Amino acid sequence: MSGLPDFEALAMVAKVAEERSYAGAARALGVSVATVSRAVTRLEERLGGRVFNRTSRRLALTDLGRGVAERAARVLWEAEEAESTARELASRPRGTVRLAVPMSFGLRWVAPLMPDFFRLYPEIAVDLHLSDASVDLIGEGFDAALRIAVLEDSSLVARRLCPVARHIVASPAYLARYGRPQHPGELSAHHGLGYAYHARGDVWRFTGPAGEVVSVTPSGPLRVTNVDALLPTLLAGLGIAELPEFISAEHLASGRLEIVLSAWKVATGGLYFVTPTTRNRPAKVEALGSFLTTRLSRPAWSGFP
């Protein structure tokens, strides 16, 4: 004997013993009598002995069959319990959601929402993974992620929550000292601050008023793996950088930063709720996705001038 046990046949033997007939077992399981009969025969051949003594009017377990049926009934009950528990978890918002979020965005805009989420869904826990590095949702076992990007084609399922603009910005002190560039080509002479996890490489891409496309690689004194790390150097007037509006908005509103090259457009990305699939997506993931969609579809940062 090799391979896995014949769980289907064991389940049918347990049901035949419970119903005391092939026909009753077939009705209970929603299969044909012939299917039940074949499964029992298959198990008997595998075990090398009869499980049932059968006549035209009577069905009785053999000594071998009694031992098999008793254990098979326990296997069937445990399998039914496992399925029932899984269905409940899939349909009821409970359990842990592993969510990957870019660090700066997560600290500013996701972590503050968690108290409200837990009040609504007290049976859901969130394993909040904060990192600017893009994670492999499937390979690393994440249920979902928030991503901020001009999203490329992907096998993942993405729900767009809101647009996220990006701007080239500098402090008034920097512009007073080094001048305000009028064309992206002039940026090569400036202290461009770099970001290692830029979705399309550490390159700034511009589209001009007439459709001209220009790419610039920043070449300043600082390159970081988290955008917040740019702010001290940027606000000190020592560099120029590309920032997403959810970080730059408050500094633009206060006048500590200014938009540079406003006539040139940097590609607007979006905030996406990303999951490996929509098929049989657990209720806990749906609950979190719907909550984040509601709370982030009209983000607070858009209120800054």
Side-chain angles (χ1 to χ4, degrees), residues 234-276:
L234 191 60
L235 294 171
L238 299 175
I240 187 169
E242 182 187 81
L243 291 184
E245 62 179 332
F246 65 82
I247 291 179
S248 65
E250 61 180 296
H251 300 292
L252 293 170
S254 69
R256 299 180 73 194
L257 292 176
E258 297 180 15
I259 294 177
V260 179
L261 297 168
S262 57
W264 290 77
K265 302 299 181 184
V266 179
T268 295
L271 172 65
Y272 295 87
F273 182 74
V274 181
T275 57

Side-chain angles (χ1 to χ4, degrees), residues 181-265:
Q182 301 299 314
H183 187 280
E186 298 173 22
L187 290 173
S188 59
H190 283 265
H191 300 162
L193 308 181
Y195 175 57
Y197 292 129
H198 196 291
R200 297 187 178 182
D202 194 7
V203 176
W204 301 345
R205 291 179 172 84
F206 300 87
T207 302
E212 179 187 3
V213 177
V214 178
S215 296
V216 177
T217 300
S219 57
L222 180 65
R223 186 171 185 263
V224 301
T225 58
N226 178 264
V227 177
D228 269 311
L230 297 175
L231 285 173
T233 301
L234 191 60
L235 294 171
L238 299 175
I240 187 169
E242 182 187 81
L243 291 184
E245 62 179 332
F246 65 82
I247 291 179
S248 65
E250 61 180 296
H251 300 292
L252 293 170
S254 69
R256 299 180 73 194
L257 292 176
E258 297 180 15
I259 294 177
V260 179
L261 297 168
S262 57
W264 290 77
K265 302 299 181 184

